[in-house]
Amino acid sequence: MRHPIRTVSAAAVAGTALGTLVAVAAFAAESRVVQTGKAFEPKALTVKAGDSVVFANEDFYDHNVYSESDGNVFNLGIQPPGQTNAVTLANAGTVQVLCRIHPKMKLVITVE
Ligand SMILES: [Cu+2]
């Protein structure tokens, strides 16, 4: 009788792990930020830790989007017009997003 019981327990554990994976996949979201007129649009947004933000350069100029905020440091490098790049923001906090080419471009992302 012991062997079947162990089998059931293993299946229950596997089911729980799979359920967690599905839940994480279902809640990870993707936000979109456009660069246009040498500005970010929107200029502020709120996401959850683990979410992705897509940066779409819909401008006539190259941009170089980056952040040096603790926990969410990234640098997209030179992004020519028409290019789209995604960043996953793993940690909660305030993320100051800037452009190395255009210092006036500012975006604040709150990661909950
Ligand atoms: Cu720029």
Side-chain angles (χ1 to χ4, degrees):
M1 284 304 287
R2 280 184 187 170
H3 183 67
I5 291 171
R6 277 194 201 125
T7 304
V8 169
S9 296
V13 170
T16 303
L18 183 62
T20 303
L21 275 177
V22 169
V24 168
F27 284 104
E30 189 177 276
S31 298
R32 183 178 171 88
V33 173
V34 170
Q35 301 149 67
T36 181
K38 296 184 183 177
F40 291 108
E41 185 59 43
K43 293 176 175 55
L45 74 155
T46 300
V47 303
K48 290 187 163 47
D51 284 356
S52 295
V53 177
V54 172
F55 290 91
N57 184 357
E58 296 184 357
D59 217 337
F60 299 107
Y61 315 97
D62 288 357
H63 293 292
N64 183 355
V65 179
Y66 74 99
S67 176
E68 293 176 346
S69 296
D70 272 352
N72 292 297
V73 174
F74 67 88
N75 186 342
L76 300 184
I78 298 296
Q79 188 181 29
Q83 186 168 307
T84 297
N85 295 73
V87 170
T88 298
L89 301 173
N91 300 297
T94 300
V95 184
Q96 304 278 352
V97 182
L98 302 167
C99 174
R100 282 205 195 283
I101 301 170
H102 308 103
K104 288 182 179 173
M105 291 178 66
K106 287 176 184 168
L107 162 68
V108 177
I109 303 177
T110 303
V111 184
E112 295 180 332

